[in-house]
Amino acid sequence: MPRTLPIEIAVQDVAGVRVALAGGAARVELCQALGLGGLTPSAGLIEAAAGAARDAGVPGFVHVLVRPRGGGFVYDADELDTTVRDIRAAASAGADGIVVGALTDAGALDLEAVRRFVDAAAGLDVTVHRAVDASSDPLGSVAALHALGARRVLSSGGAADCRAGLATLARMAVESGPLEIMAGGGVRIGDIADLAAAGVDAVHLSARGTASRGGPSGPGGGVDGFDVTDSGLVAAAVAAAVVAEA
């Protein structure tokens, strides 16, 4: 019998949430500034995204990335405090889950920070993002996460992309216990069957395209092109996620 591997789409606006809903995605990771690897979205965007999912009658759909800045995952005390505050704000704005992560100065997963984030989430689903892949021990990091209260981990298997990390993702899937392994990082539609065969629990991709509204560009007006969620890519990913049972 076939099964459908859940597909998570990284989106940056309410339009992306609606595209993901219409395309049959399991959930979205809501963020801003994907070009920087994703940053915390505004409270207004979280409220609007949660409202769109609620109006569509789809519970558990909006998972919010909480990341205070780009440029790595080692945070000082103020940045950790900001992250905790933003987690609480995201929950108040209607988020169904949060996506977080942090590293220590030595490059290990910051377990105390993750514990603080889980506590601040107050029962929401917690996904630990690809800070795991930047850590000194991705497999060891995954092994520690479920005990902290995390629901899933987003990982490329410690590699630059999921294709290069496929073998490690397969190990994570076997060794993770009840922690869900969601493959993400450079995912192409043609990779989804291989990721499913490796045993991951879900797949994450951005399904990005570029649009233009023909407005002003250049100094004072920015550039005209901007990211959009491509409905064709979402549909193709969801279709590719229907796989045969092993």
Side-chain angles (χ1 to χ4, degrees), residues 11 15 33-34 37 39 42 48 69 72 81 83 90 94 105 121 145 156 161 177 180 186-187 206 208-209:
V11 304
L34 271 173
L39 300 176
S42 70
R69 57 160 171 78
D81 179 67
T83 300
D105 289 331
L145 284 175
S156 62
D161 59 50
E180 295 179 14
V187 173
S206 64
R208 276 189 287 174

Side-chain angles (χ1 to χ4, degrees), residues 227-246:
D227 288 344
V228 294
T229 303
D230 187 305
S231 60
L233 287 175
V234 173
V238 171
V242 179
V243 296
E245 285 282 15

Side-chain angles (χ1 to χ4, degrees), residues 64-66 83 87 98-102 114 117 126-131:
V64 173
L65 175 66
V66 182
T83 300
I87 290 168
I98 60 153
V99 184
V100 288
V114 173
F117 300 160
V126 175
T127 301
V128 176
H129 57 50
R130 292 187 63 204

Side-chain angles (χ1 to χ4, degrees), residues 40-63:
T40 308
S42 70
L45 176 53
I46 297 169
E47 289 177 358
R54 184 172 58 249
D55 291 346
V58 182
F61 196 74
V62 178
H63 293 235

Side-chain angles (χ1 to χ4, degrees), residues 109-187:
L109 188 67
D110 191 336
L111 300 181
E112 180 54 36
V114 173
R115 185 177 290 108
R116 288 180 64 191
F117 300 160
V118 170
D119 288 346
L124 295 183
D125 272 7
V126 175
T127 301
V128 176
H129 57 50
R130 292 187 63 204
V132 165
D133 294 323
S135 73
S136 55
D137 183 9
L139 280 167
S141 298
V142 167
L145 284 175
H146 178 67
L148 297 177
R151 173 74 177 273
R152 69 182 60 83
V153 62
L154 171 63
S155 177
S156 62
D161 59 50
C162 285
R163 290 173 295 283
L166 193 63
T168 300
L169 284 168
R171 282 192 62 189
M172 286 180 176
V174 170
E175 299 174 10
S176 62
L179 185 76
E180 295 179 14
I181 302 299
M182 179 164 58
V187 173

Side-chain angles (χ1 to χ4, degrees), residues 17-50:
V17 174
R18 298 190 194 282
V19 168
L21 284 163
R27 59 183 169 265
V28 295
E29 179 194 76
L30 183 68
C31 64
Q32 292 179 325
L34 271 173
L36 295 176
L39 300 176
T40 308
S42 70
L45 176 53
I46 297 169
E47 289 177 358

